[in-house]
Amino acid sequence: MPIRISETPLIEARNLKKHFRLPGGWLTGQRRHVYAVDGVNLDIYAGEVLGLVGESGCGKTTFGRMLLRLIEPTSGEIIFAGRDIGKLNGNELRSVRREIQIVFQNPHSSLSPRMKVEQIVAEPLLTHLSRAGIGSISRQPGLPGMSRSEIHARVIQLLEQVGLGKQHLDRFPHEMSGGQCQRVAIARSLALNPRLIVLDEPTSALDVSVQAQIINLLDDLRSRHGLTYLFISHDLNVVQHISDRIGVMYLGKLVELGPSEPVFETPLHPYTRALFGAIPLPVVDQKRELTILDGNVPSPVNPPSGCRFHTRCPLAQPACSQTSPEMRQVQPGRFVACHLV
Ligand code: SF4
C-alpha cells in the first residue's frame, strides 16, 4: 500500500536546546554546560521516516528523547499535533505520551530482565488504562477500559504483528535472541496505537542479518499502521534505505536537511560530504569524493565560535569562525547551514 505523507507537520521542534549543567564551578562562579542540542528547528510530517544522522555526541539521541520529554529541554518548543508539549502536565501529558513511543538501542538493557514477555508488552496498557499499575495483570481480574482477557488477546495480537507468537508469552528476555527482544520492544511500542515512534539506533546492537529483518518489519508496520518514525542512527546505509528525508547533525546543530536520495547522492554541506563520502558504493569501480577531516570532533562543553564545523572544514573562510550560519533553503525542500552553499 503506498504511504501517504501529510503536508502538515505531526511534530515541530522550535529552537530546541538542551544544555546539561556540569557539576562544580560554585567557587569560581564559572558554571559549565554540555551544549548537547543547541537551537534545532525540525518538522516531522505525518507518515514519513525522518532519518537523523551524525557522529557520536552530536546530540541526535538527546533530541529524540526531548520529543517525548524523557529529557526536559532547556528551552524551545515542541509542538505535537498542534499542542505545545512543554506546557502539558498530568493527564494531558500522559495522553500525548500514548501517541509518541520510543524503541531503544539495546533491547537486552531496555527490557526488564524480571518480567516475562506478556508483562512487558502489557505494561503500557496497564499503565495507561488502569490506575492499578503493572503488577495487576496477574492479580486483578478486570481493569478499567480493558478486561484481563482483552489485554491478553491484545498482547498476542501485538506479538503476531512483530513476527512472534503465543509461545513467547512466558519467556524472559534472557531466554530470547537480540532480534526477538527487539521485536518485543517494538510490540510494546505499538501497544497504545502511537502516531510517532522514535527509533533510537534500533538495529545497532544486532547482527547484520537480523538488522535487515528488523528494518523490513519496521517498514511493514509503518505502512500497515500509518506510522511516523524519527529514525536515529549512525549507520548511514540503514538510514538511506528506510528514510524519506534525512537530517544531519554536528555538535548540537542541524547542518543539512532534505529528501533522502538527493542528500545521499549530492550532499551540499561540507560535513555531510565528508560523512557520506566514507560510505562504499555497491558498484565496482565507482567511488565517491572522499574528504578526510582533520582532528576530532570538538568538545560540546566548549564548542567553536561561529560555524561549529570551522575547525575541521576544508572550505573554512575567516568569516566562518565569526558568524554562525543559519539554515537556508537552497533547493526545493533542501536546507543547509553553511555560508558558502
Ligand atoms: Fe565550512 Fe564555513 Fe560552511 Fe562552516 S560555514 S561548513 S566552516 S564553509
Side-chain angles (χ1 to χ4, degrees):
M1 190 172 60
I3 295 158
R4 194 175 156 273
I5 297 175
S6 159
E7 287 177 5
T8 48
L10 177 63
I11 193 160
E12 304 160 57
R14 295 274 165 265
N15 200 20
L16 203 58
K17 296 184 183 177
K18 182 64 196 180
H19 301 166
F20 293 102
R21 201 167 70 195
L22 292 173
W26 293 96
L27 291 176
T28 59
Q30 290 177 332
R31 309 292 290 277
R32 298 195 310 152
H33 293 84
V34 176
Y35 297 90
V37 176
D38 206 14
V40 170
N41 291 294
L42 186 60
D43 295 344
I44 306 176
Y45 295 88
E48 80 167 335
V49 179
L50 183 93
L52 198 55
V53 299
E55 291 163 285
S56 290
C58 69
K60 54 191 189 305
T61 289
T62 303
F63 177 81
R65 291 179 188 198
M66 278 195 288
L67 297 188
L68 294 93
R69 281 184 60 189
L70 291 181
I71 294 176
E72 288 293 340
T74 304
S75 64
E77 292 179 338
I78 304 164
I79 316 290
F80 179 77
R83 289 200 289 173
D84 185 348
I85 300 181
K87 296 195 174 120
L88 302 182
N89 285 309
N91 284 342
E92 280 185 324
L93 182 59
R94 266 166 43 121
S95 102
V96 167
R97 281 202 168 134
R98 288 176 58 167
E99 301 194 63
I100 312 176
Q101 295 291 316
I102 187 165
V103 174
F104 295 100
Q105 176 177 1
N106 188 340
H108 279 299
S109 56
S110 68
L111 304 180
S112 169
R114 293 194 188 85
M115 289 165 79
K116 291 183 176 178
V117 166
E118 179 166 16
Q119 290 174 301
I120 291 169
V121 179
E123 186 183 25
L125 297 167
L126 292 165
T127 305
H128 283 268
L129 300 178
S130 91
R131 295 193 194 100
I134 180 59
S136 58
I137 192 166
S138 56
R139 295 196 296 269
Q140 191 166 315
L143 295 164
M146 274 179 110
S147 67
R148 188 177 166 190
S149 62
E150 283 170 335
I151 288 180
H152 181 72
R154 174 77 174 138
V155 170
I156 293 172
Q157 182 195 41
L158 288 163
L159 289 178
E160 286 170 352
Q161 283 180 15
V162 298
L164 301 174
K166 275 184 190 173
Q167 67 276 22
H168 298 101
L169 285 172
D170 284 329
R171 295 203 193 159
F172 288 98
H174 71 266
E175 296 172 312
M176 305 174 82
S177 68
Q180 287 175 323
C181 283
Q182 198 59 306
R183 286 173 190 268
V184 171
I186 294 168
R188 182 177 61 178
S189 76
L190 294 172
L192 297 168
N193 295 323
R195 295 167 74 187
L196 171 68
I197 302 183
V198 175
L199 299 156
D200 186 5
E201 305 264 11
T203 55
S204 311
L206 307 175
D207 292 344
V208 174
S209 59
V210 182
Q211 284 182 5
Q213 293 168 14
I214 295 294
I215 293 296
N216 289 339
L217 172 67
L218 291 170
D219 233 357
D220 179 49
L221 292 171
R222 174 203 176 194
S223 46
R224 263 200 280 162
H225 298 288
L227 293 166
T228 305
Y229 294 152
L230 172 64
F231 193 95
I232 298 167
S233 180
H234 64 266
D235 187 333
L236 302 174
N237 283 318
V238 170
V239 171
Q240 182 185 20
H241 176 79
I242 197 169
S243 304
D244 299 300
R245 286 192 306 149
I246 290 178
V248 182
M249 285 188 73
Y250 182 78
L251 217 55
K253 298 267 192 193
L254 193 64
V255 296
E256 181 157 359
L257 176 69
S260 173
E261 211 176 298
V263 170
F264 265 89
E265 282 177 7
T266 52
L268 298 175
H269 193 281
Y271 175 66
T272 318
R273 276 187 239 156
L275 196 65
F276 293 176
I279 312 174
L281 288 168
V283 183
V284 179
D285 293 337
Q286 200 176 331
K287 287 187 182 141
R288 291 175 188 268
E289 183 194 339
L290 187 61
T291 310
I292 308 289
L293 295 178
D294 288 334
N296 296 320
V297 182
S299 166
V301 177
N302 188 18
S305 60
C307 173
R308 293 197 170 175
F309 189 52
H310 84 260
T311 53
R312 304 170 79 197
C313 179
L315 306 178
Q317 308 287 313
C320 297
S321 59
Q322 310 294 323
T323 321
S324 178
E326 297 294 323
M327 276 293 248
R328 287 181 301 114
Q329 183 161 214
V330 293
Q331 291 171 11
R334 293 196 68 177
F335 298 82
V336 182
C338 172
H339 294 311
L340 298 192
V341 177

